[in-house]
Amino acid sequence: MSAGSGDASPGPPGAASSGPAPRARLIGRRLERHARIGSTNDRARELADTGEEEGTVVLADEQLSGRGRAGRGWHSAPGLGVYLSVVLRPPTEASRAPMLGLLAAVAGACALECRIKWPNDLMLDGLKVGGVLAEARTTAESIRDAVVGIGVNVNHDEGDFPPELRGRATSLRRHRGAPQDRAGVVRALIDSLDDWYAIWRRVGDRPVLERFASLAPDLRGRRVRVQDAGAPWTGVTEGLGPAGELLVRRDGSGRRAAVRFGEIVLVEEV
Ligand code: BT5
């Protein structure tokens, strides 16, 4: 592990360059790099717990126990993907915590030029190329701190995925048809996260929700199967609610439900 600059570091502020002057960045001011780690989200959580400043990024070439949501795993092949987590301290109400996942998905989709599947999948060619894991620690009223992690498949070939992911996962390389520069992907993700976090802090939820909606084609008018707390049910999507929840008109009762957690699977277009 080395702290500070590595090949994926965004570079020291004020470094001489022929381009425009570097802006005052929050995310990525400090970067902690690991060749191998359990989970970058777990490491960023440790840092947050010991007072790490906002914006620090933890980056790894390999994760031994990369995590998805709800106890699921994130397959983190060594040297092929980008696995990073950011420590955040947004001074805002606890009820806005779900927005962190949405804003990270928007930032990821803008950086990678891909689509979003609600709530946190980054999609290319209908396959999953990345995912977001946002974990906030809240008091009754406010967010104390949060860790936002993004994993992206960059240089994977089909054979680099375990059998259960083949046909469901893709990589930037497979989509673009050529090997990709992982350091460039890291820089693009950090820049985009920095931009979207600043927009969210300055303007609020609306621009994040609007961009999310424009990047997530299944949010409206699609029949989906919803897997939330209980038995799966079906309905037709009707967009996002004000807190980023998915609104679905339930088949049968015709009632509109707000889905806050869970998965959706496209059933058919209506
Ligand atoms: C996610 O969870 O998609 C969030 C993944 C976040 C991973 C990053 S890597 C950096 C940071 N540190 C961590 O420990 N985690 C974060 P979820 O929506 O629950 O999706 C998990 C499911 O995606 C799994 O059950 C698999 O079906 C599938 N999956 C696992 N690995 C994958 C991969 N590499 N590519 C595509 N799909 C994958």
Side-chain angles (χ1 to χ4, degrees):
M1 185 272 281
S2 68
S5 59
D7 71 329
S9 150
S17 91
S18 53
R23 63 217 161 108
R25 143 201 315 284
L26 175 68
I27 294 177
R29 277 193 300 209
R30 202 173 91 76
L31 192 134
E32 186 183 282
R33 207 187 150 87
H34 298 260
R36 178 189 277 181
I37 199 167
S39 151
T40 57
N41 261 48
D42 292 346
R43 173 63 188 149
R45 166 49 54 211
E46 276 174 21
L47 289 171
D49 286 344
T50 51
E52 182 67 31
E53 67 178 43
E54 182 171 59
T56 293
V57 172
V58 178
L59 182 65
D61 291 329
E62 177 182 7
Q63 294 187 117
L64 298 175
S65 42
R67 296 192 290 108
R69 294 173 304 139
R72 291 185 288 261
W74 185 254
H75 182 257
S76 307
L80 295 177
V82 164
Y83 317 110
L84 66 79
S85 301
V86 189
V87 175
L88 296 175
R89 301 185 183 281
T92 189
E93 311 91 81
S95 59
R96 289 178 80 208
M99 289 301 303
L100 290 169
L102 299 192
L103 98 73
V106 166
C110 289
L112 305 176
E113 298 180 320
C114 70
R115 300 297 192 110
I116 302 172
K117 177 168 166 285
W118 185 91
N120 70 333
D121 291 351
L122 300 175
M123 308 293 290
L124 276 175
D125 311 317
L127 304 169
K128 190 157 168 174
V129 70
V132 167
L133 178 63
E135 299 178 300
R137 216 165 45 121
T138 59
T139 64
E141 298 86 37
S142 59
I143 298 177
R144 212 184 297 188
D145 54 30
V147 169
V148 172
I150 301 188
V152 180
N153 305 323
V154 180
N155 280 321
H156 299 58
D157 267 327
E158 186 75 344
D160 295 314
F161 293 111
E164 68 274 15
L165 289 181
R166 289 181 203 153
R168 294 202 289 135
T170 192
S171 69
L172 295 179
R173 176 189 185 150
R174 285 175 61 77
H175 174 76
R176 295 177 183 165
Q180 301 294 306
D181 170 30
R182 279 193 307 137
V185 173
V186 169
R187 277 193 296 273
L189 286 172
I190 289 176
D191 282 350
S192 188
L193 279 166
D194 196 49
D195 288 343
W196 279 102
Y197 188 61
I199 290 169
W200 183 62
R201 291 281 306 273
R202 206 175 55 240
V203 186
D205 298 343
R206 181 184 283 265
V208 177
L209 293 170
E210 284 176 358
R211 184 60 72 90
F212 191 103
S214 76
L215 290 166
D218 301 337
L219 276 184
R220 259 178 207 286
R222 303 289 170 95
R223 173 156 282 110
V224 292
R225 190 170 65 246
V226 178
Q227 176 67 71
D228 50 8
W233 51 276
T234 58
V236 176
T237 55
E238 294 193 338
L240 284 179
E245 66 277 30
L246 181 66
L247 306 175
V248 184
R249 180 81 55 191
R250 283 185 92 116
D251 291 344
S253 74
R255 286 233 183 92
R256 189 147 105 166
V259 184
R260 291 191 170 74
F261 305 100
E263 303 292 324
I264 55 166
V265 180
L266 209 55
V267 178
E268 67 191 47
E269 291 210 19
V270 290

